[in-house]
Amino acid sequence: MLPDATPRGPERPEPDMVRVRVPASSANLGPGFDAIGLALGLFNTIVAERAPVWEVDGERDEARLAAHPAYRGARRALEWLEARGLCPRGEGPALAIRQRNEIPAARGGLGNSATAVVGGLVAAGCLAGHPLSDAELLDLATEVEGHPDNAAAAVLGGFVVAVRTERGVVARRLPLSNPPRVVLGIPATQVDTSWARARLPSCVPFADAAFTVGRAALLVAALAAGDHACLAAAMEDRLHTPYRSSLVPGLDAALAAAREAGALGAAISGSGPTVIAFVPPGSPDLERSIGGAMAGAFGRHGLPCEVRVVDVEPTGATII
C-alpha cells in the first residue's frame, strides 16, 4: 500500500462544491498488461456540489446513473466511509456532478472511465468531510474499474506500475529521465473494454509469456532511464495485442506506419482503438509525420483519425 497522500489541492475546498482535474492515461504500453500506466496531458474535470438528488450531467434516472463511472466512484466513496463510521449511514450528500472533458469520450483507450471514477471518489470524499488518501483512492478505483493501471495513473500521475495483492493495490510512480512526447492516433470507432477482454485466451504459450515478461521489464527500465533506443523492442507484446488487433480496421497498419515514420515505439493504448506512439522531445516535424502516417493508415481502412500530441502528465487527480 502507498503511504497517505500529501494534500492534492486546497486543504479546505468549498464546503458545498469541489472541482477535481484528472488526467487521461494510456495503459499497457504494449507488454505491461493491467500493470503499467502513463498519465497524459488531457483532462477530465469533475465539478460536484451538494444537491437534493443525485444527478450527472443533468441525468437523474437511477438506472442510467448506476452505469455512469463518476456516479459509481462517488457512491462507492460514500459507502466506504459509511462502513467505517466516518459518514452516518444514509446521510452522505447527494451530489450533482458535471463533467468537462478534453478526452475524446466516444473513443477508447485513454482511461476516460478511470478519470470519471477517480474524480467521483475524490469529490465525494471531500464533500463528505473525509478526503481519501492515495492508497484508499487506488483500492476503491481499482475495485470499480476492475484493474489498476489506468486508475493508478489517474491518481498518481506520471509513469506508474501497479498490481493487485490480497492486501490492496501496490503501486509506484517512477521518475522519468528525458520523457518522450506522445502522439495519439484516435480512429473514429469504439472498442468496448469488456468485449476486448473477452477476446483474450484463458492461457498463452509459455514462450509468449516469457517474451512479454522480458519486454515489460525492459520497458520500465528504458523509460526510467530515458533510454529511447530500447523502446521499439520494449513495446512488443504477445500477451494481448495479437488477440485484439482484428477489433479495429487498420490497427496493425497504423502501428507499422508509426514505426516506419520514426516513432521510438508504438502500441495499442489500453484495449484500443487509440494507438500511442513515442517521439523524442523537441521534434515537431517527426510528430507531424508520425501522426500523418497513423491517420493515413486508418484512412485507407475507412476510418477517419484524430491526432493529438501531448506530454506525459506528472500530476494525478488534483482539486482545483
Side-chain angles (χ1 to χ4, degrees):
M1 299 286 288
L2 289 171
D4 284 351
T6 54
R8 54 179 65 256
E11 291 186 6
R12 293 186 179 181
E14 298 176 57
D16 295 321
M17 182 178 71
V18 65
R19 294 181 178 88
V20 187
R21 192 181 77 158
V22 190
S25 57
S26 179
N28 305 331
L29 305 184
F33 183 71
D34 275 5
I36 290 176
L38 187 71
L40 305 173
L42 293 169
F43 302 93
N44 185 1
T45 299
I46 298 291
V47 181
E49 57 187 325
R50 294 173 180 271
V53 295
W54 282 90
E55 66 175 75
V56 178
D57 292 332
E59 178 62 66
R60 296 185 178 184
D61 180 80
E62 291 187 8
R64 293 180 180 177
L65 283 176
H68 197 288
Y71 173 85
R72 293 167 63 206
R75 288 304 297 258
R76 185 66 190 98
L78 296 179
E79 290 168 0
W80 189 88
L81 291 170
E82 287 176 357
R84 284 152 183 80
L86 299 174
C87 179
R89 188 168 299 276
E91 295 184 18
L95 303 181
I97 296 172
R98 303 188 307 279
Q99 295 187 107
R100 299 171 184 171
N101 206 341
E102 296 177 12
I103 306 167
R107 315 292 174 82
L110 293 173
N112 189 52
S113 173
T115 67
V117 169
V118 170
L121 286 164
V122 172
C126 288
L127 291 174
H130 295 280
L132 302 174
S133 70
D134 281 354
E136 292 159 353
L137 288 170
L138 280 171
D139 283 345
L140 293 174
T142 299
E143 177 189 320
V144 176
E145 278 281 282
H147 46 91
D149 41 13
N150 293 107
V155 171
L156 301 175
F159 177 54
V160 297
V161 180
V163 297
R164 299 180 82 167
T165 74
E166 292 180 356
R167 291 182 293 178
V169 175
V170 176
R172 288 294 179 267
R173 179 177 59 192
L174 283 75
L176 296 183
S177 176
N178 191 30
R181 291 267 280 169
V182 176
V183 181
L184 301 170
I186 310 168
T189 187
Q190 290 180 289
V191 173
D192 182 82
T193 300
S194 60
W195 183 35
R197 284 183 176 271
R199 299 293 295 268
L200 301 179
S202 58
C203 60
V204 297
F206 184 88
D208 288 349
F211 177 98
T212 303
V213 167
R215 266 60 180 184
L218 181 62
L219 176 62
V220 172
L223 282 174
D227 187 353
H228 295 167
C230 291
L231 289 176
M235 294 177 75
E236 295 174 331
D237 167 66
R238 293 181 184 173
L239 192 62
H240 70 101
T241 304
Y243 305 100
R244 290 172 162 173
S245 61
S246 63
L247 295 176
V248 181
L251 183 59
D252 286 338
L255 289 167
R259 295 172 185 132
E260 291 168 5
L264 298 169
I268 304 171
S269 183
S271 58
T274 298
V275 171
I276 180 172
F278 288 142
V279 183
S283 52
D285 291 342
L286 187 57
E287 293 168 3
R288 287 189 289 270
S289 177
I290 292 168
M294 290 193 290
F298 280 123
R300 288 189 289 275
H301 287 78
L303 289 179
C305 175
E306 178 183 358
V307 174
R308 298 276 191 102
V309 182
V310 299
D311 289 311
V312 176
E313 172 54 41
T315 305
T318 305
I319 296 172
I320 58 175

